[in-house]
């Protein structure tokens, strides 16, 4: 069963609604996993920006070239990820135009590619964004970058950055990435500095017509409320504790009931709810998950639809949580 595709007007193309996310923690899954993902009709790959992901970029680039499929695939990379100074024992903040240029060039070299379909970066609210947007404009002008996304930017900063980009002749901000779009209600974000996907973020997405790329691993879905979660979800107690069982008890019961009625799993209901938002959404799933024992679960979730009545029932219980 092929992965369903979704139209993303802000990016000017359609993408499979499941985006593969290779991980340097499981490098042995890359090549075979990408082959299996492509066989399912997948056409989008997300590459993290933190240290240790160089291997993933090299393998993905080699895979794209050896199969001759670069033009088929949408490549999204994170840039300007903060680093750590081991000598001084302090963070290195990289929200700067020179980091934009450095990381874009590095990604192109590691991938052996001529362009990146989308690059995105986290915000540093205390720092001006104008020079960063201008550096992105320059990379777009020479064909290195085709779209710009943001993650953990406050709504006003997104609107202002979008307006500045448009004033520079750029398409503007095209996508918002998040770890916080989930059916269960979390008491805190995945990391303390991350922003919740609240009504103000939702309104920016709707007003600017942004595509949403949502991390949908078990640690982001709240799968610990239903059991059978990926062992990775419990590596940090906070990742489990933020999903308060008592606050979500009624929702869990409703999801379990609906899953039984539809003969699917709660995980599929959670994924389908995300994909049913009133704006275009692509869910990012770890590549090992897409080719592991749960492959059929993700295939079904990609195709599953919920009726208006089913969505309304879930939303009503969710609002009461």
């Amino acid at each position: 069963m092929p992965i369903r595709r979704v139209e993303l007007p802000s990016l000017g193309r359609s993408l499979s609604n499941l985006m593969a996310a290779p991980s340097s923690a499981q490098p042995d899954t890359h090549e075979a996993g990408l082959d299996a993902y492509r066989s399912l009709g997948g056409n989008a790959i997300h590459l993290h920006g933190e240290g240790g992901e160089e291997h993933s970029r090299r393998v993905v680039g080699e895979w794209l070239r050896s199969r001759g499929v670069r033009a088929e695939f949408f490549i999204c990379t994170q840039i300007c990820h903060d680093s750590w100074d081991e000598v001084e024992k302090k963070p290195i903040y990289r929200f700067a135009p020179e980091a934009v240029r450095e990381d874009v060039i590095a990604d192109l070299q590691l991938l052996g590619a001529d362009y990146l379909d989308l690059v995105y970066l986290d915000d540093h609210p205390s720092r001006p964004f104008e020079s960063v947007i201008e550096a992105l404009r320059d990379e777009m002008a020479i064909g290195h970058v085709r779209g710009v996304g943001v993650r953990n930017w406050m709504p006003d900063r997104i609107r202002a950055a979008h307006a500045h980009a448009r004033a520079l002749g750029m398409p503007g901000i095209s996508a918002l990435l998040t770890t916080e779009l989930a059916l269960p209600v979390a008491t805190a974000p995945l990391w303390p500095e991350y922003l919740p996907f609240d009504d103000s973020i939702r309104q920016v997405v709707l007003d600017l017509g942004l595509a949403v790329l949502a991390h949908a691993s078990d640690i982001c879905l709240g799968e610990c409320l239903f059991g059978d979660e990926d062992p990775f979800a419990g590596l940090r107690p906070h990742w489990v504790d933020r999903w308060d069982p008592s606050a979500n008890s009624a929702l869990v019961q409703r999801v379990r009931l609906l899953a039984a009625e539809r003969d699917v799993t709660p995980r599929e209901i959670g994924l389908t709810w995300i994909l049913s938002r009133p704006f275009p959404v692509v869910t990012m799933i770890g590549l090992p998950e897409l080719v592991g024992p749960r492959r059929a679960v993700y295939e079904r979730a990609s195709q599953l639809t919920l009726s208006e009545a089913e969505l309304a029932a879930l939303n009503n219980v969710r609002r009461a949580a």
Side-chain angles (χ1 to χ4, degrees):
M1 182 185 300
I3 298 172
R4 184 163 54 89
R5 295 202 176 182
V6 57
E7 292 293 333
L8 304 173
S10 65
L11 295 170
R13 64 181 296 171
S14 65
L15 295 183
S16 50
N17 62 6
L18 303 183
M19 177 180 282
S23 170
S24 60
Q26 295 172 288
D28 58 323
T29 65
H30 285 13
E31 187 170 351
L34 288 167
D35 281 336
Y37 175 62
R38 184 185 177 211
S39 74
L40 293 174
N43 73 336
I45 300 172
H46 170 264
L47 295 164
H48 292 278
E50 54 264 48
E53 292 297 334
E54 292 87 355
H55 175 79
S56 295
R57 282 162 167 73
R58 288 195 181 94
V59 174
V60 168
E62 291 170 3
W63 181 84
L64 291 168
R65 291 191 303 277
S66 66
R67 273 64 171 178
V69 294
R70 173 63 188 95
E72 294 177 23
F73 272 77
F74 180 93
I75 306 299
C76 166
T77 74
Q78 183 183 12
I79 62 172
C80 301
H81 194 283
D82 289 341
S83 187
W84 181 256
D85 187 326
E86 284 291 347
V87 175
E88 298 292 332
K89 301 299 181 185
K90 64 180 182 180
I92 300 172
Y93 298 115
R94 303 186 66 252
F95 186 79
E98 55 269 22
V100 169
R101 290 186 283 268
E102 290 170 5
D103 287 2
V104 168
I105 291 298
D107 282 356
L108 291 173
Q109 291 176 343
L110 288 167
L111 286 162
D114 296 325
Y115 65 92
L116 304 168
D117 294 283
L118 183 76
V119 299
Y120 74 96
L121 69 169
D122 283 10
D123 194 13
H124 276 278
S126 64
R127 300 182 173 213
F129 61 76
E130 287 81 1
S131 62
V132 171
I133 297 297
E134 288 155 18
L136 288 164
R137 182 269 316 270
D138 295 343
E139 294 301 317
M140 294 187 78
I142 59 178
H144 286 171
V145 171
R146 295 188 172 181
V148 174
V150 295
R151 188 183 71 167
N152 294 317
W153 288 53
M154 294 292 290
D156 289 348
R157 292 267 287 187
I158 297 174
R159 294 181 190 277
H162 181 79
H164 186 61
R166 295 297 296 271
L168 294 171
M170 294 169 59
I173 306 301
S174 298
L176 181 141
L177 290 90
T178 183
T179 58
E180 306 304 312
L181 182 58
L183 176 54
V185 178
T187 58
L190 186 66
W191 296 103
E193 67 273 19
Y194 283 14
L195 297 178
F197 197 98
D198 58 16
D199 288 344
S200 62
I201 290 293
R202 180 179 184 274
Q203 196 59 51
V204 168
V205 167
L206 292 170
D207 290 346
L208 301 185
L210 305 183
V212 173
L213 309 185
H215 286 276
S217 62
D218 283 359
I219 60 173
C220 296
L221 284 178
E223 187 62 24
C224 58
L225 294 168
F226 303 96
D228 188 38
E229 71 271 21
D230 187 312
F232 184 71
L235 286 181
R236 296 176 183 270
H238 169 74
W239 290 348
V240 174
D241 294 343
R242 73 192 190 107
W243 302 106
D244 183 1
S246 59
N248 286 290
S249 60
L251 180 63
V252 168
Q253 292 177 15
R254 187 69 190 87
V255 169
R256 289 189 185 281
L257 178 61
L258 179 57
E261 291 172 352
R262 299 295 300 271
D263 194 25
V264 297
T265 65
R267 184 182 283 102
E268 289 165 68
I269 297 297
L271 283 163
T272 304
W273 181 88
I274 295 173
L275 293 169
S276 302
R277 298 305 83 215
F279 39 78
V281 179
V282 169
T283 54
M284 291 180 281
I285 310 291
L287 186 59
E289 286 295 293
L290 286 174
V291 299
R294 296 196 184 103
R295 168 175 168 161
V297 168
Y298 293 107
E299 284 185 77
R300 291 195 301 267
S302 169
Q303 296 289 342
L304 186 64
T305 58
L306 298 175
S307 70
E308 291 298 324
E310 289 169 333
L311 286 170
L314 290 173
N315 290 334
N316 288 338
V317 179
R318 185 177 189 272
R319 280 191 289 269

